[in-house]
Amino acid sequence: MRRQLCTLHAALELVPAPLFVVSDLDGTLLDRRERVSPHMREVVGRMAEQGTVFTLATGRPARWVLPVIEQLPVQPLCVCANGAVVYDSAKDEIVRAMELNSATLSTVIQRLTAGAEGTALHGAGFAVERAGTSAFDRADELFCVTEGYDHAWLSDEHKVLSTEDLIAQPAVKLLVRNENVSSQELFDAVAPRLDPREVHATFSWGGGLVEISAPGVSKRTSLEWIAERLGVQATETIAFGDMPNDLEMLGWAGTAVAMGNAHDDVKAAADLVTASNNDDGVAAVLARWF
């Protein structure tokens, strides 16, 4: 467990201005209305003026970061799909995609459906997210679900496929969904059936959704890839998050900040705990330097 510091302001006196700033979106940068605060927009603008790079890191696909980018004064590189995709919003280009192949998708679904009765996996549905090449690719070609899949969010931009067709093409993420259990309960049922050498499982929302990516894929892996190209070090990075899919990212960053509304495991892994997303916790930290 990382050292917990008594007060936010006292802790920040010990931290130099970062060269690389990374923020999760939902539950972190965005408030309950999915808005970026005016204060945060001002802070991002000042960061850009001073040469500090701002990057978004989210479980969302690229097309779902566009409403956020429209609220920002910069067009950043975005780590999407929990690290499986890097999207260059300035060029509208998917510049990196780490995929699960069809054989792996098939094996995982077989493991999760065999003997599922009496477990949190009973009645679970499956979906895949494909990378595409642009945030403006047709959503119904990228987000595909099995019959009866219970959507965690309103969606009219998806395609319903048989399991065979669902796994016929590579995907950057496999979603396991059971609305009758929590994400923690579902994860606890999923994880023992999977080999971490073959896939990586996590969750970013509490309502019965587990997200599976290629082995070793996390927000951290894509941030390391970006940082290498920027010529910045982990020690020069500050990262903000709220859910277990942020843990690898927070473990890598020189300064790890959990939101006041964060999952307990995230708070335990962080150097600092700031205010909640609805109280502009990210801006409260970054305003120390910018």
Side-chain angles (χ1 to χ4, degrees), residues 34 64 76 78 84 87 90 100-101 128 133-134 158 189 203 269 277-278:
E34 300 195 2
W64 283 8
C78 303
Y87 171 62
L100 293 159
N101 61 38
V128 294
T133 60
S134 159
H158 61 272
F203 63 94
N277 63 313
N278 289 317

Side-chain angles (χ1 to χ4, degrees), residues 107-173:
T107 297
V108 169
I109 290 177
Q110 288 176 19
R111 289 177 182 170
L112 298 183
T113 53
E117 294 80 5
T119 75
L121 283 162
H122 181 62
F126 298 93
V128 294
E129 185 70 49
R130 310 197 200 283
T133 60
S134 159
F136 295 93
D137 288 343
R138 286 185 51 177
D140 62 356
E141 297 294 334
L142 300 179
F143 183 51
C144 304
V145 306
T146 53
E147 186 72 38
Y149 181 86
D150 183 83
H151 291 273
W153 50 84
L154 293 176
S155 173
D156 57 4
E157 297 182 329
H158 61 272
K159 182 180 291 184
V160 179
L161 298 175
S162 67
T163 301
E164 181 180 12
D165 289 336
L166 190 79
I167 64 174
Q169 300 177 44
V172 291
K173 187 159 57 171

Side-chain angles (χ1 to χ4, degrees), residues 200-239:
H200 175 72
T202 189
F203 63 94
S204 59
W205 176 70
L209 185 69
V210 169
E211 302 157 62
I212 299 173
S213 303
V217 168
S218 69
K219 293 181 180 182
R220 172 178 179 162
T221 54
S222 281
L223 289 170
E224 288 177 323
W225 184 84
I226 293 171
E228 182 179 358
R229 281 149 183 78
L230 293 174
V232 299
Q233 306 298 315
T235 53
E236 299 169 312
T237 302
I238 187 169

